[in-house]
Amino acid sequence: MRGRNILLLLLMISLVTLTGCWSRKELNELAVVMAMGIDLDPEGYAVTVQVLNSGETGSPLLSGSGGSLPVISYKATGKTVPDALQRMLSTTPRILYLSHVRVLVFGEDLARAGISDALDYLNRNHQLRTDFYMLVAKNSEASKILDVITPFEHIPANSLFSSILVSHKNWAATGKVTLQEFVVELERGGSNPVMSGVQLKGVPSQSESAKNVQSITPKALIQHAGIAVFKKDKLVGWLGESSSKTLNYVLNKVDSTVGNVSCPEGGTAGFTITRADSSIDVNLNGENEPEFTVNLNLEANLTSVESKIDLRKPASIEILRSLIKSKTDLGMTNNIKKVQEKYGSDIYGFGEELHRKYPKLWKGYRKHWDETFQTVKVSVNSSVAIQQIGSVIQSQRKEVELK
């Protein structure tokens, strides 16, 4: 009995000392932010947030109980990003909750001026996760991208998030960069960061209306726009489709993509890359200077053959394999050279590879690597294997000629 009383006393004391969730916030007190945009402003920053309208998320556009859209945008300016967010509280009925941010968009003017100050707040704020995707609004402001009403998804932030995944996985000409990845590349020597681009396609004046998605052809759409090249924290230029694919090949970030080659007998042959693995080798030449080789192993399937080439012959398959290899080697080498000469920004991580293999030599290059990168020799050596040619062996053009 005495032991039981002592136990009850201890339990009562422990209940008194429990603090509970002192910092808790009820859901009805929060405005859940799904996307954020940051633009340059004479006052400092213009910040836009896309807030979830929880009462309308399960309803079609403009048919909910209150006739409202599933998201609401709030905008404010301030000397710093947190200053702008605080000023936003004068118009928002709830406290902004940033833990569910899925995408962050920078206006191009801000990206060219430098984003390190804005990143300081984003990286320092414990409420923000570091796994959301970051984008640059090409030739536009971030606020205009976040104001677009999108099809398929009622919440534009979810639509943008999903399109990043789909495009990167199946097209390979876009990026998929999180805050954590960007900051890592920014802080370490031997490489520069990149960011995926996005732009407004169509009629901007129609993008903010629900009528934008109430027709078969939306008047305005969000379109991915290649990859933004940074030198440290500043945007210095853009990569087109081919150069963006080259970057993802080198970084070993290609899941699947498509291409085509010209056949020797005329016409073209299309193929899909089903697997791509890459590595970077660095060696020193006779003058003790680094030279780099990108080794690429590709597996491809033929998807269309608009040519007279005879696929029943093993030699024809070898010709196509050789053509894919030659086009890949030459195209990637030229694309890397363009980036070297035009931007002088090592977005491929060649300097990091030099640092890893020759740490003592790297010390002499570290401070002026961007200048050295512009003239360093880079070659590409790909190995291509054609796995499948489809269920129809011969091309339709060849079949017609054989009749």
Side-chain angles (χ1 to χ4, degrees):
M1 190 71 177
R2 183 179 178 184
R4 181 181 296 178
N5 290 335
I6 294 174
L7 180 61
L8 287 174
L9 180 62
L10 291 174
L11 287 173
M12 291 178 65
I13 294 173
S14 65
L15 288 174
V16 172
T17 58
L18 289 176
T19 59
C21 299
W22 63 272
S23 61
R24 67 181 173 84
K25 292 287 189 299
E26 298 294 339
L27 185 61
N28 59 5
E29 298 176 358
L30 302 175
V32 180
V33 179
M34 302 297 293
M36 184 188 300
I38 307 177
D39 290 301
L40 199 61
D41 185 85
E43 192 175 326
Y45 298 97
V47 179
T48 304
V49 295
Q50 190 179 100
V51 176
L52 185 67
N53 186 3
S54 56
E56 304 295 337
T57 53
S59 305
L61 292 178
L62 295 180
S63 65
S65 59
S68 302
L69 290 170
V71 291
I72 305 168
S73 287
Y74 293 99
K75 303 176 184 180
T77 58
K79 187 69 175 176
T80 64
V81 173
D83 181 28
L85 289 172
Q86 285 295 109
R87 290 170 183 244
M88 211 174 286
L89 295 178
S90 64
T91 55
T92 59
R94 300 178 181 180
I95 299 172
L96 296 176
Y97 186 63
L98 303 177
S99 292
H100 287 281
V101 170
R102 307 207 78 183
V103 289
L104 170 67
V105 185
F106 292 101
E108 180 164 338
D109 289 343
L110 174 60
R112 290 191 179 276
I115 63 173
S116 59
D117 289 338
L119 286 177
D120 182 79
Y121 165 74
L122 299 171
N123 204 28
R124 193 182 297 272
N125 189 331
H126 69 278
Q127 194 182 98
L128 275 163
R129 297 182 308 200
T130 59
D131 59 350
F132 56 84
Y133 293 131
M134 302 201 302
L135 304 165
V136 177
K138 186 175 183 180
N139 300 321
S140 178
E141 296 175 351
S143 61
K144 293 180 179 178
I145 299 297
L146 296 186
D147 285 341
V148 178
I149 303 299
T150 57
F152 291 106
E153 294 277 0
H154 289 166
I155 302 171
N158 287 343
S159 177
L160 194 52
F161 181 86
S162 299
S163 68
I164 293 171
L165 296 177
V166 172
S167 178
H168 182 76
K169 182 177 179 63
N170 298 287
W171 188 32
T174 58
K176 189 180 68 170
V177 180
T178 65
L179 172 63
Q180 186 175 18
E181 291 170 338
F182 189 91
V183 170
V184 168
E185 293 297 325
L186 187 64
E187 292 180 348
R188 74 180 182 183
S191 63
N192 276 306
V194 296
M195 203 179 292
S196 193
V198 66
Q199 63 187 1
L200 183 59
K201 180 183 179 183
V203 185
S205 60
Q206 300 289 325
S207 64
E208 301 178 28
S209 171
K211 294 180 180 179
N212 184 49
V213 293
Q214 292 177 343
S215 61
I216 295 177
T217 305
K219 301 298 181 183
L221 288 170
I222 296 175
Q223 181 183 47
H224 289 283
I227 292 178
V229 179
F230 281 75
K231 183 176 284 188
K232 296 184 178 178
D233 72 323
K234 295 182 179 180
L235 171 68
V236 294
W238 293 91
L239 300 183
E241 179 180 335
S242 179
S243 295
S244 296
K245 286 185 178 182
T246 293
L247 172 64
N248 283 324
Y249 272 129
V250 176
L251 297 179
N252 209 17
K253 291 184 177 181
V254 173
D255 292 318
S256 176
T257 189
V258 298
N260 61 79
V261 291
S262 298
C263 298
E265 298 180 9
T268 60
F271 59 90
T272 296
I273 298 298
T274 59
R275 181 178 177 182
D277 297 310
S278 68
S279 61
I280 300 173
D281 285 340
V282 54
N283 294 290
L284 305 180
N285 60 20
E287 299 178 0
N288 207 39
E289 297 172 337
E291 295 182 351
F292 298 89
T293 302
V294 178
N295 298 304
L296 190 62
N297 294 317
L298 302 177
E299 292 182 3
N301 294 337
L302 294 182
T303 53
S304 65
V305 181
E306 302 173 8
S307 171
K308 298 178 182 180
I309 191 169
D310 191 350
L311 294 180
R312 294 174 301 183
K313 298 179 180 179
S316 297
I317 305 298
E318 176 58 27
I319 289 172
L320 292 177
R321 189 202 67 79
S322 179
L323 289 171
I324 296 173
K325 171 182 167 56
S326 298
K327 184 176 182 178
T328 301
D329 290 351
L330 181 61
M332 287 184 60
T333 301
N334 289 338
N335 287 334
I336 293 171
K337 189 173 182 180
K338 288 178 185 177
V339 172
Q340 287 179 282
E341 295 175 349
K342 188 174 183 179
Y343 301 126
S345 176
D346 183 5
I347 55 178
Y348 307 99
F350 293 130
E352 179 63 24
E353 195 63 34
L354 177 62
H355 181 199
R356 187 178 295 112
K357 188 171 181 180
Y358 299 103
K360 292 183 179 180
L361 183 65
W362 170 248
K363 292 180 180 179
Y365 284 105
R366 183 184 181 93
K367 292 184 179 180
H368 55 88
W369 176 245
D370 283 339
E371 291 76 16
T372 304
F373 169 71
Q374 291 182 291
T375 57
V376 74
K377 183 180 178 181
V378 179
S379 58
V380 178
N381 179 31
S382 65
S383 173
V384 180
I386 296 179
Q387 300 293 336
Q388 300 178 15
I389 62 173
S391 57
V392 179
I393 296 177
Q394 204 58 274
S395 69
Q396 288 299 120
R397 184 181 297 185
K398 192 70 175 178
E399 290 286 355
V400 171
E401 290 184 349
L402 292 174
K403 287 186 177 179

